Amino acid sequence: MGSVHNTEFPSYMYASSMVDRRVSKQVHDNVHGNIYLDPLALKFIDTEQFQRLRDLKQLGLTYLVYPGAVHTRFEHSLGVYWLAGETINKINIDQGSELGIDRLDIQTVKLAGLLHDVGHGPFSHLFEREFLPRVLHSNKWSHEEMSLKMIDYIVDEHNIEIDSDVMKKVKEMIIASSENTSSKSLKEKRFLYDIVANGRNGIDVDKFDYIVRDSRACGLTCNFRFDRPLDTMRVIGDEICYRAKEYLTIHKLFSSRADLHRTVYTHAKVKAMELMLVDALVKANNHLDMSSCIDDPAEYWKLDDSIVKYIETAKSEELKESRDLILRIRRRDLYQFCNEFTVPKDQLEYFKDVTPQDIICSQKSGLVSLKEEDIVVSNVKIDMTRGRKNPLESINFFKDYESGEKFPIPDEKISLLLPECYQDKIVRVYSKKPELVEAVSDAFENFQVKNYGMKTQVHGTPQKKRQRKQLRLC
């Protein structure tokens, strides 16, 4: 992928008229080039709570498959801060007087971009989506809500002087895409809340940054260019809209995100290591009680990716099982990927997640009797942010800059090559023990035949893999 900051961008990019370089700190980012941090942003950045983000890898364990994926939440947050600032500055230059944009609006949007991930958990989304539900038996906790608590904690702990109305709006912008957001609070200048976390249609600078940054770190080509939508956007009817000719560019935003999910975030080996790490953390939780700090910012900020090294080097007998699992990851003795299938299109609407028990119940009589603890099933969902719906149905466009009319564009008016389905569900099965690969694979095939009348997997588990693992029984 070509270097983003060597591309010829619009004049407002990287030389924003709103940046006072006399009081700003310049840093060089490998995606955006030189970016400038204003004094208020620096007050948050130069705290131990924000610096913690340096110890959270953006993509968790992905670097064990893609060695370059060692970038952190820290640099991503600076990138989102910069893009949020460039976005609001662009709107201000074009429409500031008619929209009533003021200095506090600009400051608020930039801070929301900077602080949107300050409450993020370790190991990308694994901590929040897989570890906590296992130990708390609940899915209620979110890193966005923790970000709000962390912002309050940082302000109080470091005596940061900040306008109370700015603080309130920063927090509202961070959770603007959340189901818990109150629509009442988003009535005034609603378009401002679409910049960092867009709950209206999913186009936001958070995605702009991580799609380009993650692609580059993993050595992948990225076909999406965020400069084009930024340069053509316009606020119409309190909503950020895009020029109609950029329809396919916007489509690339969502398709690039889906490609990253398929090839990077849910890579079969990455997932195997994540499943092992979750098991290790669950086993360690009784001793370390990591889940007890998730509502207390004063303790939570001390939790980061280094917990793996602590478990790995600790001598406590209570952590032995967790240590052994982490050692297996280090030595590439992973849970064995047996096979996968994509849920048929006509089954998507009523599909229920497959469980290890489903696989066991499909086992035919044999030499080995599988147990639930021998199997891990990963139910992977990949979409374009709106489930089985086309995300572009929620986006409004305009014809040209003289027009004040906004309108949606149906796919069929653009291209007949665009997809008819916008979601994949993939079922993967892993064997925790190498010697059980064949038994698990056979049971998985039987499950498919029983439920779909045929094997829906693309190919069988390689015979070589089955035989090699069975040699360990001899």
Side-chain angles (χ1 to χ4, degrees), residues 369-384:
S369 180
L370 295 173
K371 299 176 182 177
E372 198 164 341
E373 57 267 27
D374 297 330
I375 303 171
V376 188
V377 179
S378 175
N379 294 275
V380 176
K381 183 176 72 173
I382 301 173
D383 60 32
M384 294 189 176

Side-chain angles (χ1 to χ4, degrees), residues 127-139 274-275 277-283 285 376 432:
F127 182 83
E128 175 179 353
R129 296 177 183 172
E130 301 195 42
F131 167 68
L132 287 180
R134 288 267 301 272
V135 296
L136 300 179
H137 309 293
S138 169
N139 292 312
E274 288 183 347
L275 293 168
L277 180 58
V278 172
D279 282 350
L281 294 176
V282 169
K283 292 176 185 298
N285 193 57
V376 188
K432 291 188 178 183

